[in-house]
Amino acid sequence: MSSDFEGYEQDFAVLTAEITGKIARVPRLPPDEKKQMVANVEKQLEEARELLEQMDLEVREIPPQSRGMYSNRMRSYKQEMGKLETDFKRSRIAYSDEVRNELLGDDGNSSENQRAHLLDNTERLERSSRRLEAGYQIAVETGASPMPKTPNKLWHKPKESSLWKGSLKSSGPIFISYPNFLDN
């Protein structure tokens, strides 16, 4: 049984080496060759996934006392597969960015990192908006008063200083709220 696993391991190693080489060439190919290479790499990635499934099935059939070593190797192969897929996506994006920059005369400031950063910020903004809406809905449903009644609220009356004299006119305390629903 372990000989089948070792055979799959060898096939996986050869296949991942081929995929890695092709991924490195994708950004530098002309468009027609690039399409063929991308299709070829996608096919090989699917083969690699199938090999991983076969290896996983083999590991499940191994007696429990020997399974630990093979499970660790499988984890490593799955991580390698994830890295290959990420590298493949990046190489395709790099190529499309190069073409875009060439066509638009862009200096290349828009990179994958900027896109990822923008997506992260958008997701964070959406989560915060949902939390604010949920908090507002709770306040409306409970008929909460605008005056704080919980310990997480803070009352502050600004002090007049020579720096702020005349520019800060306050008719009362300033209410600063630190809602619990934003702490998540």
Side-chain angles (χ1 to χ4, degrees), residues 135-136 138-150 153 155 175 177:
Y136 176 76
I138 290 170
V140 168
E141 289 173 1
T142 60
S145 108
M147 303 306 265
K149 295 180 181 177
T150 59
K153 309 290 190 246
W155 282 90
F175 175 65
S177 174

Side-chain angles (χ1 to χ4, degrees), residues 19-31 33-39 41 87-88 90-93 95 98:
I19 293 171
T20 302
K22 289 179 180 179
I23 287 174
R25 291 191 347 230
V26 166
R28 293 184 290 268
L29 293 174
E33 290 180 36
K34 179 190 181 270
K35 287 180 185 178
Q36 289 177 333
M37 185 68 74
V38 166
V41 169
D87 290 346
F88 181 55
R90 284 186 181 152
S91 74
R92 291 176 68 182
I93 289 171
Y95 177 77
E98 288 174 12

Side-chain angles (χ1 to χ4, degrees), residues 142-183:
T142 60
S145 108
M147 303 306 265
K149 295 180 181 177
T150 59
N152 68 337
K153 309 290 190 246
L154 177 66
W155 282 90
H156 173 70
K157 180 163 183 151
K159 296 179 182 173
E160 247 183 74
S161 71
S162 60
L163 182 65
W164 291 96
K165 212 170 251 188
S167 66
L168 180 65
K169 295 182 181 172
S170 174
S171 59
I174 296 174
F175 175 65
I176 301 173
S177 174
Y178 298 100
N180 287 334
F181 57 88
L182 290 178
D183 294 339

